[in-house]
Amino acid sequence: MATVRDTTYDLLRALGMTTVFGNPGSTEQPFLQDFPADFHYVHALQEASAVAMADGYAQATGRPAHVNLHTAPGTGNGMGNLVTAWHNRTPLVVTAGQQTRRMLLLEARLASPRAVELVRPYVKWGHEPVRAQDVPAALMRAYATAVQPPAGPVFLSLPLDDWHQPADPPPPVRTVATRVAPDPARLREFATILAAGTSPALVFGPAVDRSDGWPAAVALAERLGCPVWSAPAPERIGFPEDHPQFQGVLPYAIGPLAEKLRGHDVVLVVGAPVFRYYPYVPGEYLPPGTRLLHVTEDPDEAARAPVGDSLLGDVRLAAEALETQLRRLPPAQPTRPDQAAPSDQAAPPGQGLPPEQAAPPEQGFRSGRPEPPPEVGRPLSPDAFFAAIAAHWPPDGVLVQESPSNLPALRRRFRIRRPASYFTMASGGLGFGLPAAVGIALAERHTGRGRPVVAVIGDGSFHYSVQALWTAAQWRLPLVVLVPVNQQYAILKAFAEHKRTPGVPGLDLPGVDLTAIAVGYGCAAVVADTPDEIGAALAAGLAADRPTVVPVPISTDVPPLL
């Protein structure tokens, strides 16, 4: 007779979930014993790394990933990155071992008496099956819940004595919808408002990338011929940043963001919150006379928006449908008659902009002048650091970044030009980037795409999940980790200056030997001080058969928060 364990592994195979991320504990051993040869076990040295590796893997493969944690302590270790997975909208099936059912009433050691409560509210669904025989069906429900929009992590607490119990007949393997079409009447209403706008603007967010929506976003932008912004602090990029209509990233504070949108009568936000703010800078949410339209797949995100009218549905489907609707509607009177476009053609870049904002297509909507090259000194400035990376970037590279204080320099000097090429944390919590890069590099290997993966991890962030280097070394992943070293939590110093809170302790990080740490985990390591050395280390690391850590000393100047 088949056991619960047999039936569960068969279900995992049928769902394509044959890679398990975890750190084995005593309550998980009955599940992991005689681990099947057709499965991969990705061993992390700490559960926070396991969760983030699975997050990166799931995002890069476009499929849910399985994380196996160790009862309450292991789940607690993984909670920070579980919060990030929730905000990242990553479909994870998180299972945790539980003490044997015979001792749950006693609350014996390693029992988790409130296992499901522990992970709330950062899972879409949590459950501890009442019977051992319910485990496979609970897993099927967990999978279906995780992948349906908005996607996210789910949690199962599984007693260790369940696995060898006789199983019920296996649950049917079901497919579930992962896209929800928007309301046609609401679409027509939004299209009519956009067509009537004299100075529209578009804001694209990370859900565009998650939905494979870049072509739809570009088509909609070119149909409107208007400026395009990236939503504030995006965890993924929803629009090609070398497109002539691209303006940059909106600031993540109320007053400054509204100022950037001044002069636009209609703003359409697609696939992002309205808006993701960080420091409180008061002001109006929108400039006077500006109407905001919001397309999102998440009703909670729509409900908490402080302004705007919402349209619920898959963001790619909505963008495609809006472009189709706009093609059938007469455009608003353009600013200059010679800019009018036939209704069956995309409007040229610049249409609908006030004359002082319009720019010819070859110049784009920025200032019309490229950023001047940064000065190169020693140590390098953050701008010079990212300019060097950009100059040596592989065309199909994937960037994983967790260097908060240097993010403005990254966005000034580095452009994302293709989908699924930029990943970071939506939560604002550190410790995601390094293990996520390991998971993404593993996904590139397993999918056969083989895109090069480069992580830029600040020397403060580096230590939150540093043990992920060991996993990368064990799998011999050609991952390059560039570490801008300023020996401080510069983002916190910037926040302290912004909020006028001097004298905060613990913001400096002296006396850390990154090279020794990297070598100790089995990685190659080389310090780079110049742009040419960065380029050489990047090329060598991507051609290597193990991960390479590249510390790069940079200026200790604290950049402004906004």
Side-chain angles (χ1 to χ4, degrees):
M1 177 179 289
T3 65
V4 168
R5 181 183 176 280
D6 297 333
T7 303
T8 300
Y9 271 104
D10 286 343
L11 179 59
L12 289 169
R13 287 187 184 93
L15 295 174
M17 299 180 67
T18 56
T19 299
V20 182
F21 296 83
N23 180 268
S26 56
T27 54
E28 292 70 55
Q29 287 180 341
F31 168 66
L32 296 172
Q33 73 172 87
D34 298 324
F35 195 68
D38 58 329
F39 277 64
H40 298 291
Y41 188 80
V42 183
H43 182 189
L45 296 182
Q46 210 262 10
E47 287 92 344
S49 289
V51 174
M53 287 177 196
D55 188 331
Y57 188 86
Q59 291 197 65
T61 60
R63 298 183 55 82
H66 179 195
V67 193
N68 185 232
L69 304 179
H70 177 47
T71 188
T75 302
N77 285 341
M79 275 298 296
N81 280 327
L82 187 64
V83 171
T84 293
W86 168 264
H87 287 286
N88 282 356
R89 307 285 176 80
T90 304
L92 296 183
V93 175
V94 181
T95 58
Q98 172 65 290
Q99 182 55 272
T100 181
R101 289 182 183 272
R102 294 180 183 87
M103 294 200 293
L104 285 178
L105 185 62
L106 305 177
E107 296 191 17
R109 189 176 191 183
L110 293 179
S112 183
R114 297 177 178 172
V116 174
E117 290 180 44
L118 179 62
V119 293
R120 287 176 177 156
Y122 292 106
V123 294
K124 292 182 66 179
W125 181 64
H127 184 65
E128 185 173 281
V130 176
R131 304 182 307 142
Q133 288 73 21
D134 293 335
V135 169
L139 179 66
M140 184 66 244
R141 177 174 172 180
Y143 175 94
T145 303
V147 300
Q148 292 186 93
V154 295
F155 177 82
L156 293 176
S157 172
L158 303 174
L160 64 89
D161 56 332
D162 283 0
W163 296 110
H164 299 305
Q165 300 300 313
D168 283 349
V173 177
R174 299 181 291 118
T175 60
V176 292
T178 56
R179 294 188 185 276
V180 177
D183 172 35
R186 192 69 158 168
L187 275 169
R188 287 192 295 271
E189 180 184 348
F190 272 35
T192 300
I193 294 168
L194 287 167
T198 58
S199 181
L202 283 166
V203 179
F204 287 120
V208 175
D209 199 37
R210 286 194 293 266
S211 67
D212 300 320
W214 274 42
V218 170
L220 178 59
E222 293 179 350
R223 174 66 51 189
L224 287 167
C226 67
V228 176
W229 293 92
S230 170
E235 67 272 22
R236 294 177 66 162
I237 303 300
F239 191 80
E241 296 182 337
D242 58 346
H243 193 283
Q245 290 171 237
F246 182 67
Q247 294 285 287
V249 185
L250 289 172
Y252 52 11
I254 296 170
L257 189 153
E259 190 60 31
K260 287 287 186 182
L261 298 177
R262 187 173 298 280
H264 298 291
D265 57 346
V266 182
V267 175
L268 175 66
V269 180
V270 181
V274 177
F275 283 103
R276 182 173 287 150
Y277 302 117
Y278 178 35
Y280 177 64
V281 180
E284 296 295 329
Y285 289 109
L286 291 173
T290 300
R291 181 170 186 179
L292 188 139
L293 307 177
H294 185 202
V295 177
T296 176
E297 64 186 7
D298 183 358
D300 286 341
E301 187 172 88
R304 67 176 178 264
V307 290
D309 303 312
S310 67
L311 168 64
L312 289 177
D314 180 85
V315 297
R316 190 186 88 187
L317 297 180
E320 290 170 343
L322 283 171
E323 194 277 333
T324 300
Q325 293 276 353
L326 287 166
R327 197 184 311 160
R328 299 168 181 166
L329 292 170
Q333 182 65 36
T335 303
R336 300 197 302 270
D338 62 343
Q339 285 185 319
S343 60
D344 61 343
Q345 298 178 10
Q351 178 172 312
L353 286 173
E356 66 275 10
Q357 294 184 33
E362 65 271 14
Q363 291 182 326
F365 284 99
R366 292 194 182 90
S367 65
R369 296 183 301 274
E371 290 274 359
E375 294 185 7
V376 178
R378 287 197 178 185
L380 296 174
S381 68
D383 277 81
F385 170 69
F386 284 110
I389 297 172
H392 296 92
W393 189 251
D396 58 344
V398 178
L399 176 66
V400 186
Q401 78 82 16
E402 191 172 291
S403 184
S405 63
N406 299 312
L407 185 56
L410 185 158
R411 305 317 298 270
R412 282 192 296 270
R413 301 293 174 179
F414 197 96
R415 297 283 177 252
I416 302 299
R417 295 176 169 85
R418 59 181 291 174
S421 298
Y422 176 90
F423 298 88
T424 189
M425 74 305 194
S427 65
L430 302 181
F432 165 80
L434 182 55
V438 176
I440 292 168
L442 189 62
E444 291 300 323
R445 175 179 290 176
H446 284 177
T447 60
R449 292 188 302 252
R451 295 178 66 188
V453 180
V454 179
V456 176
I457 311 295
D459 59 340
S461 298
F462 184 78
H463 299 284
Y464 277 73
S465 297
V466 66
Q467 63 282 117
L469 291 175
W470 179 84
T471 305
Q474 293 300 304
W475 284 83
R476 307 192 74 81
L477 297 173
L479 170 68
V480 177
V481 183
L482 295 162
V483 186
V485 178
N486 54 19
Q487 296 187 319
Q488 60 187 337
Y489 293 123
I491 187 65
L492 295 181
K493 289 186 176 181
F495 198 90
E497 289 183 5
H498 180 78
K499 290 297 182 184
R500 298 182 179 86
T501 55
V504 176
L507 302 188
D508 291 303
L509 299 171
V512 178
D513 188 339
L514 298 182
T515 300
I517 291 169
V519 171
Y521 278 117
C523 302
V526 56
V527 176
D529 290 302
T530 69
D532 287 343
E533 289 176 355
I534 290 173
L538 184 58
L542 292 175
D545 64 350
R546 58 173 172 163
T548 302
V549 175
V550 185
V552 181
I554 65 167
S555 166
T556 58
D557 294 342
V558 177
L561 191 62
L562 291 170

